[in-house]
């Protein structure tokens, strides 16, 4: 019989640690010119909110100056904010939505 002096060691496998993508907030910024009904219509159309939820979000932005509408992935947040802002521009209103990273 032949003896091998080779020591076999098990291979170690490293699992890559996957990080969850950072979430972004879509923020409604209050202005004094856009009608409340129009803001609610945009919230319903773009963010699929009910009339009541849209009203509450619009009133929060009205009273506080800003309101977080939704928290989601960066690309979705940016596209929703752009779509909502563009609807305001098309109608001639200074309606603004912004995105920022969630802490």
């Amino acid at each position: 019989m032949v003896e091998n002096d080779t020591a076999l060691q098990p291979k170690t496998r490293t699992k890559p640690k996957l990080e969850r993508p950072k979430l972004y907030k879509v923020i409604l910024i209050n202005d004094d010119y856009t009608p409340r009904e129009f803001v609610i219509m945009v919230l319903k159309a773009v963010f699929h909110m009910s009339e009541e939820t849209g009203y509450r979000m619009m009133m929060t932005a009205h009273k506080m100056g800003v309101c977080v509408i939704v928290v989601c992935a960066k690309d979705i947040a940016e596209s929703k904010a752009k779509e909502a802002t563009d609807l305001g521009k098309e109608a001639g209103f200074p309606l603004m939505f912004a995105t920022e990273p969630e802490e």
Side-chain angles (χ1 to χ4, degrees):
M1 229 184 206
V2 179
E3 283 188 37
N4 279 341
D5 288 340
T6 308
L8 298 176
Q9 293 187 356
K11 290 183 179 180
T12 57
R13 291 186 184 174
T14 57
K15 286 187 178 180
K17 201 166 198 176
L18 299 177
E19 291 184 21
R20 292 188 142 190
K22 282 191 173 181
L23 297 178
Y24 280 71
K25 299 184 275 191
V26 176
I27 300 169
L28 168 61
I29 302 169
N30 185 50
D31 65 76
D32 294 333
Y33 302 102
T34 308
R36 294 177 177 187
E37 295 78 21
F38 183 77
V39 175
I40 295 169
M41 187 272 301
V42 169
L43 292 173
K44 287 170 57 178
V46 176
F47 299 98
H48 308 289
M49 293 184 176
S50 67
E51 182 89 20
E52 181 182 334
T53 303
Y55 178 79
R56 283 190 283 124
M57 295 286 194
M58 179 273 304
M59 286 306 294
T60 301
H62 180 69
K63 291 176 183 174
M64 307 296 278
V66 294
C67 180
V68 175
I69 301 301
V70 70
V71 178
C72 55
K74 182 180 181 179
D75 56 339
I76 296 171
E78 288 176 346
S79 66
K80 293 275 188 186
K82 182 175 178 358
E83 181 183 353
T85 302
D86 288 348
L87 280 174
K89 282 182 185 176
E90 288 173 13
F93 298 119
L95 182 63
M96 283 291 303
F97 287 83
T99 60
E100 71 178 38
E102 184 184 46
E103 290 89 38

